[in-house]
Structures are given as structure tokens and as C-alpha cells.
Amino acid sequence: MDANMLAVLGIVVLFTLMFLRLPISFAMMIVGFFGVLIYASPRAAYNLLSADLWNQFSSYSLSVIPLYIFMGEIIFRTGVTEKLFQSAYKWVGHFRGGMASTTILASAGFASISGSNSATAATMATMSLPELDKYKYNKALSTGSIATGGTLGIIIPPSTVLIVLALQMELSVRDLFVASIIPGIFLTLLLIITVLALCRLYPDYGPSGERSNMKERIKSMKDVIPIGLLFLFVIGGLYLGWFTPTESGAFGAFGAIVLSLLMKKLTWERFKSAIAGTLKSAAMVLMLVVAAMVFGRFLAITRLPFTVAEWVSQLPVQPIVVLCAVLLIYIIGGSIMDALGFLIISIPIFYPMVIALGYDPVWFAVLLCVVTSLGAITPPVGINAFIVQGMTPDTPITTVFKGTAYFFVTYIIFISLLIMFPQIILVFV
């Protein structure tokens, strides 16, 4: 069988296994192993599962993943998320639409420690929905703002998705973290502006809350500032070259434990829960990374990605046309499955093609993060929308998607700006 045809058949089998509800990592492992076995030899396939698999699992660079996850778990167990929400409300809650703006602002804060869009959406839904209902917010706006705020979880560092992209694309974790800071802040502001504009046009969508005085606002920062300083130390130290990404994760995890003890928020039960949560999340991510290596080796020996890259580079169209087509695929892919899973599957196929067109790899990695996060609020299977709807079963999923649609235009404008002005991403790299 022709190598390219075998690769295409492997991709078809992969998606078939996924739709049969086989975990993505297992599906990639099976297709990659049998693909190498058929195309190369049984010996090459067994060597892939022994030597190559061991080398990947024992890679020092992978240790950064559980460390950052552990940092987020420790901080989450201390209840700082609730403090983030309360503090954000003190500052912006008095505006019309202020409670929804608070949700997005608190989501950005939680995103900086969780690294997950689904975790951010679920956490903020638990905290925000009762408050938004109490102030009689429009249901579409309230659920839409929570689901959309959750998308910040994979954009703002330290993002697990950015770490995995760095490993997959052989890029610097530091560069991706630094490159995503400005886009993360910029997108947060655009989402808040969208809420405020909607509530100005439709005043009944989001009534204003109580105004807090400056003393109350400053007091609300008491438990938030230490976490913010930890974030600045971890990311700032990485940017300044004080330590490597793995050392940065270790400092972050250690600092989270120390702060939690000083704040008297860390009990033995919470510590055990944080370890259990870290093991569960880290195992899932590491399995995806290693399975992607097996699947990627299969695609590499068939040379499908490079064939596609050569073909695309010779098309009589502008590179921007190809880029837009790729980004549309990522929006669709992100809408039908988890962002991390789709990125890991698709990177070996599209990354060589886009780089062959002359685009900067760091810029493309961060852009992919943003575009795929948009898929999490896009019908038919936007994962964040269904998470929020699960927290309020009386609300139809169509209402949630109506709410996320308000922010879809904001996202498209933001993505367009990133394409037109790549320095938004590359300014500090």
C-alpha cells in the first residue's frame, strides 16, 4: 500500500476509534503501533514501544507538567478562587453588567493557576451562577460569560496546553508562556468590554450591583495579592532566566504549599486531594503526549505531513488563505472534542505545513491555543457550554450557545488582530 494512503487510512481509523469512545491516547497508540508494524516491520514497532516509549516517559522535560498541575491543585484547594471572585466583584461589580464582568475577570485569575478551560468553566459556574441569578441577569449572558471566561484557561500561562505544544513542536516553554501573556490580558479586556457594551445596549441583561469603597477594594486583595506575587515570581523568573521551566514549576508548587500553610488554608485532607487530582490530571496529559509521539512517528515514516507541506507550499494562493483554512479546521475540531486532544492529534499534520509557509512557530503555537479555545464554546459540542449547562439543568443548551455567540464576534476580531499584528504575541519573545 502507498505510504500516504496508509497514513490517511490510519487517520480515518483513529477518528473511528475515538467516535467509538476509545480514549484518545489509546487510539493514537494503537494506530501508531500497527501503522509502523505494517509499513516498516514488527521489529521497528516493538522497538517503538520499548526504547522510544521509555525515552519519552523518562524525559526530564515532562516533569514540568505535574509540577504546574500540582501548583494549581494546591491553590485551588485553599479556596482562593472564591477570594478572586469576591475581589473582582469589589472592583467592577458596580458597573452595569459588572457581575458578568467579574466572572470573566475571576476566570482570568483562576486560569493563571489552573491551566484548563474545562476546570475554569466548572469552577466559575459553581461560584457565579447563584450570584448572577440573584441579580436577575439574562440567562444567556450569564451562562455565556461563564463558558467563554473558561476558555482563558488554556491561553493564560502556566497553561498545560502551552506546555504540551512546546514539547510537541520542540519549542521553548518559556517563549510560549511569555508570548501568551499579552494576548491573554488583551482577550480578557475585550471580553469584559463585550459584556459592558451588551448591557449598555440592553440594560435589563445585567443590572449593576453595589458600589464598594476603596478601603473595601484594597481589603479584598489581602488573600489575592500573595497568589499574584507567586504567579509573577514563577513566570517572571522564567522570563528573566533565573530558572528553567521545570525549576519554575517546582518553585511554583513549593511556593503554593508555603502560602497555603501561611494562610492556614492547607489541611492534610486538602493536601491528599491535591495529590490525587495532580496524579489523575498528569497521568492523562502524559499519556496523551507519549501516545502522540507514537502516532507522530507513524506519520513521519509515511512522510504524509511533509508531502502535504510541499503540496500546499506550491499552491497558487496566498499563504494567508491556507492559514485561514487551517484555523477553520481547528475551530471545528475544538468544537467536537477537547482542545488538548485535538491539538495533539493534528499538530504532526499541520505544523510542518504552516512552518513551510514561513510563519513563526511561537506565533503559530499561541494562535492555535486561542483558536482551539474558541472551539470550546462553538456548537455542536462546545465542551465549556455543556459543562455550564450541566451546572444549571433547567437552562436549555441553546440558551448557553446563544450566550457564547455574543462573544464569538469578539473572538474573531481578536484572532484577526493576532494575524494582522503578530507582534501582539511576539513583542516579548
Side-chain angles (χ1 to χ4, degrees):
M1 182 184 292
D2 177 70
N4 289 335
M5 285 301 298
L6 179 63
V8 171
L9 178 61
I11 294 170
V12 172
V13 172
L14 173 64
F15 278 94
T16 302
L17 292 174
M18 285 164 44
F19 283 120
L20 291 174
R21 306 186 72 83
L22 188 70
I24 298 171
S25 56
F26 293 167
M28 286 194 293
M29 195 82 75
I30 291 169
V31 172
F33 171 76
F34 282 103
V36 173
L37 187 147
I38 293 169
Y39 184 74
S41 66
R43 182 175 182 179
Y46 293 130
N47 187 64
L48 180 64
L49 286 186
S50 55
D52 289 7
L53 208 62
W54 168 254
N55 290 336
Q56 187 77 359
F57 266 125
S58 59
S59 171
Y60 176 72
S61 59
L62 284 183
S63 59
V64 69
I65 294 174
L67 288 171
Y68 276 120
I69 292 175
F70 185 53
M71 179 181 75
E73 285 283 341
I74 287 289
I75 293 175
F76 172 64
R77 306 289 170 182
T78 63
V80 74
T81 314
E82 185 178 350
K83 300 294 184 183
L84 280 170
F85 185 83
Q86 293 172 353
S87 180
Y89 180 72
K90 295 289 185 184
W91 287 90
V92 300
H94 61 282
F95 293 112
R96 192 175 295 278
M99 183 61 72
S101 300
T102 297
T103 299
I104 292 172
L105 196 57
S107 295
F110 183 70
S112 69
I113 56 176
S114 76
S116 166
N117 58 5
S118 54
T120 304
T123 302
M124 297 313 302
T126 303
M127 294 173 46
S128 304
L129 279 173
E131 295 298 320
L132 289 161
D133 289 342
K134 185 174 76 174
Y135 284 91
K136 295 181 171 53
Y137 267 65
N138 175 273
K139 204 66 177 178
L141 177 62
S142 61
T143 54
S145 62
I146 295 170
T148 306
T151 61
L152 298 169
I154 67 169
I155 301 172
I156 297 176
S159 161
T160 305
V161 173
L162 287 173
I163 296 172
V164 172
L165 281 177
L167 295 172
Q168 287 286 98
M169 297 178 173
E170 298 183 352
L171 299 173
S172 163
V173 174
R174 170 206 172 274
D175 287 348
L176 292 192
F177 276 11
V178 172
S180 64
I181 292 174
I182 297 299
I185 295 172
F186 191 14
L187 179 57
T188 302
L189 292 175
L190 287 178
L191 295 177
I192 291 174
I193 290 170
T194 303
V195 169
L196 298 178
L198 276 170
C199 292
R200 179 172 288 274
L201 285 173
Y202 308 101
D204 58 320
Y205 272 28
S208 56
E210 301 91 352
R211 179 184 290 273
S212 301
N213 58 45
M214 188 55 66
K215 183 179 179 180
E216 291 173 327
R217 293 174 183 175
I218 294 174
K219 186 178 178 181
S220 71
M221 299 290 288
K222 182 181 67 173
D223 291 330
V224 177
I225 288 177
I227 303 300
L229 292 176
L230 175 63
F231 171 79
L232 289 175
F233 175 70
V234 169
I235 303 301
L238 186 61
Y239 174 68
L240 295 172
W242 293 348
F243 28 71
T244 66
T246 301
E247 291 167 350
S248 169
F251 274 115
F254 178 73
I257 293 173
V258 171
L259 283 178
S260 301
L261 290 172
L262 291 175
M263 295 163 65
K264 299 181 180 179
K265 299 287 187 180
L266 186 63
T267 63
W268 179 242
E269 289 301 318
R270 288 176 176 174
F271 183 72
K272 287 195 297 184
S273 297
I275 291 177
T278 300
L279 290 173
K280 183 178 179 180
S281 299
M284 181 270 291
V285 175
L286 291 174
M287 278 300 296
L288 280 171
V289 172
V290 173
M293 181 273 298
V294 175
F295 182 65
R297 292 288 171 84
F298 162 57
L299 291 182
I301 64 171
T302 63
R303 295 197 59 78
L304 176 67
F306 309 103
T307 302
V308 173
E310 291 171 7
W311 175 71
V312 168
S313 64
Q314 295 171 5
L315 286 175
V317 296
Q318 292 296 318
I320 188 67
V321 176
V322 179
L323 177 67
C324 290
V326 170
L327 297 182
L328 180 61
I329 291 171
Y330 274 97
I331 292 175
I332 296 171
S335 72
I336 61 176
M337 63 185 293
D338 181 70
L340 180 58
F342 185 73
L343 282 169
I344 282 182
I345 291 171
S346 57
I347 284 299
I349 302 170
F350 293 115
Y351 180 59
M353 180 177 75
V354 173
I355 298 308
L357 294 174
Y359 289 105
D360 184 270
V362 172
W363 173 82
F364 181 61
V366 176
L367 183 64
L368 276 193
C369 231
V370 174
V371 170
T372 313
S373 68
L374 174 59
I377 57 172
T378 305
V381 198
I383 184 69
N384 278 19
F386 279 94
I387 287 173
V388 174
Q389 194 272 335
M391 299 288 183
T392 173
D394 295 336
T395 305
I397 188 62
T398 52
T399 300
V400 184
F401 278 126
K402 178 184 176 182
T404 61
Y406 294 138
F407 301 95
F408 199 89
V409 175
T410 306
Y411 249 104
I412 296 301
I413 292 172
F414 179 61
I415 292 168
S416 301
L417 289 172
L418 294 182
I419 294 173
M420 290 188 293
F421 305 103
Q423 284 307 311
I424 295 174
I425 294 175
L426 300 175
V427 61
F428 291 127
V429 177

